Amino acid sequence: MSVILMNMLRTIKVKVDCPKALGLETLRTAKEIFDLHVEIAFRDRTWNKLKLHRACYREVRNRYPKFQSSLVQTVRDTASEAIKATKFRRFPEKRKSSGLRYNLRTFSLSGRRVSFSLLGGRCKCEVKVPKHHLTVWQNGKVQAATLNYDRKTFWLHVTFVLPDVKPIARGKTLGVDRGLMNLAVCSDGRFFTSKAIRAAQRRFLYNKRGLQSKRHSRSARKKLKDMRRREQRFQSEANHVVTKTIAATPGVKTFALEDLSKIRVRSGRKGRNWNHRFNRWSFSQFERFLRYKAEDQGKQVVLVDARFSSRTCHRCHAGGQRQGGRFFCPACSLRTHADLNAALVIRDRHVSSLSAPPVRRHGAAGRPVSRPNARRDETKTGFQDPGLRWSAKSKPWDLSQGS
């Protein structure tokens, strides 16, 4: 059996002592070159890098002789990728102080001393690397870097390629259900509540409402920006702590998550308060953090179909009903926590996709086609049964009675 090794990329952010005037002039020049490539791309209706190079390179070199040739090519690539991403639906814009990409010709690293190109020459300086990044900084191979200017400070985002990690050969699958009330619930029974996160979000929202009425004031705008950054750091810290704990679970090879890529499209409008909470839900960041932390240990993260995962019984696979954080299955009388049931369903869906190949049949043209491997009574049975009604006397949510 062949073993596929994982190629891991890690990015470290460090502060650099760069001349402010020269650095900002370099970033402004990069913006002008970016805008020139975008105009030519819209005129010729192409995002092909070779065509853009032939149309713009000579003019750019004559207009900006101090701007290095390799930097011109990286700006051209950035413009081409931006246009390709938007498919000419809108005009890509680049801020005056937005990032500038470097390759190995324009950036070098020796120990803690970095050297990168600016207008008319190189900038060389020492950087301070955080202790928790020293292993990556010393053992990784430099691939690229990006220069950014944020809050009166220049930052370098250095990307490293780490040695391959051999994947774990054997291990179990852990289902993880993400939500608003609970940040994550694992199929092994662990709950990671989001109570502190929701309390902080309400506090930030209350404070921001008081400042938004004074947003025309310069100090109010500055406080709003600082508050937004503080909230983002708080959310990132919570996701880091939880994903690190989950990724370190012993005996686990695969982490199964719901595919929530289309959830914002399907959710619709459910009120102002709900939209506030839903739009601040950082489920994508949680997935990214868990994915790269799992790769460090030779594990993997997979996505499964999210449809009806919270309304399907993990024991009999029939349709059940959910009310708040509780789940009840009328087919097998299962009473359990809804998020825990969803985590078990996510785990079982991934395991069944590996062990049970799809049933194949021949179509009209004689070609084999796939058919869903699901019984008719396992689809939506019981989801909208009008006879399923509970009273206060029946107490269907007594979790001590179910597993």
Side-chain angles (χ1 to χ4, degrees), residues 141-203:
K141 181 180 178 181
V142 180
Q143 186 184 56
T146 303
L147 179 66
N148 289 294
Y149 181 75
D150 184 30
R151 306 186 74 178
K152 302 180 180 181
T153 306
F154 285 96
W155 301 88
L156 266 178
H157 297 254
V158 187
T159 303
F160 295 87
V161 180
L162 296 182
D164 296 330
V165 176
K166 185 177 180 180
I168 297 177
R170 294 182 179 181
K172 61 182 181 180
T173 300
L174 184 69
V176 182
D177 178 68
R178 294 166 287 175
L180 293 174
M181 300 303 295
N182 292 303
L183 185 60
V185 177
C186 301
S187 58
D188 58 2
R190 288 179 296 170
F191 283 72
F192 299 93
T193 180
S194 59
K195 183 177 180 180
I197 298 176
R198 287 183 280 112
Q201 289 176 347
R202 290 193 298 267
R203 184 174 66 254

Side-chain angles (χ1 to χ4, degrees), residues 211-212 214-225:
L211 291 172
Q212 285 172 348
K214 308 173 184 178
R215 62 182 179 273
H216 299 292
S217 170
R218 182 178 179 181
S219 60
R221 291 196 303 268
K222 183 178 182 299
K223 288 183 178 179
L224 284 171
K225 183 182 295 185

